[in-house]
Amino acid sequence: VQLQASGGGLVQAGGSLRLSCVASGSIFSINVMGWYRQAPGKQRELVAQIGSIGFTNYADSVKGRFTISRDNAKNTVYLQMNSLKPEDTAVYYCNAELKTTPWSNDVYWGQGTQVTVSS
C-alpha cells in the first residue's frame, strides 16, 4: 500500500492550496483518512480527518478555513486550504487507517508535501 500526496507549494498569506492524497495497492477498505502537519521544531499535529461515511474532525486552528473531503471510488482524500496564514507553513502528511484483508487494520502514511505561506 502506498499513499501519494501532492499539491503543496508556495503561496502568499490569504491564498489557497488544494492537497490530494491517493491510496493505492491491495486495499480491502479504508476507514479514516486524514492530514497531519509538522512545522520545523514542532511535533506532528492533526489537521483534519474524515471517516468512510463522511464524519469530519478539524484542529481548532484550521476550522472555517480548511475543508477535508474524500472520493471513496478513487481512494483519494483532499484538503482545501483557504485563507492561508504563515503559521500554516509545514510539511503536510496524509494518512489512512485501512484494511488490506477483512481481518487487518493498519495505519499508512504518505511521504509529505511542503506548504509554505509567505507573509
Side-chain angles (χ1 to χ4, degrees):
V1 174
Q2 288 189 327
L3 271 65
Q4 182 68 45
S6 61
L10 173 64
V11 65
Q12 288 188 333
S16 298
L17 283 174
R18 189 191 194 210
L19 305 183
S20 300
C21 178
V22 181
S24 62
S26 182
I27 298 171
F28 178 77
S29 66
I30 302 177
N31 184 13
V32 180
M33 303 187 82
W35 291 94
Y36 288 71
R37 67 187 181 187
Q38 187 166 19
K42 294 187 177 182
Q43 290 188 331
R44 190 174 297 189
E45 63 176 1
L46 173 68
V47 176
Q49 290 177 311
I50 184 166
S52 59
I53 56 173
F55 90 87
T56 57
N57 179 40
Y58 293 93
D60 288 342
S61 60
V62 306
K63 284 180 181 177
R65 299 188 298 122
F66 292 9
T67 302
I68 190 169
S69 61
R70 63 191 279 177
D71 184 333
N72 290 330
K74 296 181 179 179
N75 289 340
T76 300
V77 62
Y78 306 97
L79 186 68
Q80 178 66 43
M81 305 185 293
N82 298 329
S83 302
L84 282 160
K85 304 176 181 179
E87 51 263 44
D88 295 317
T89 295
V91 177
Y92 284 69
Y93 299 90
C94 61
N95 84 339
E97 179 186 304
L98 59 86
K99 296 178 180 291
T100 55
T101 70
W103 310 277
S104 68
N105 198 53
D106 297 294
V107 175
Y108 294 82
W109 291 88
Q111 84 285 7
T113 185
Q114 177 70 46
V115 172
T116 303
V117 184
S118 63
S119 56

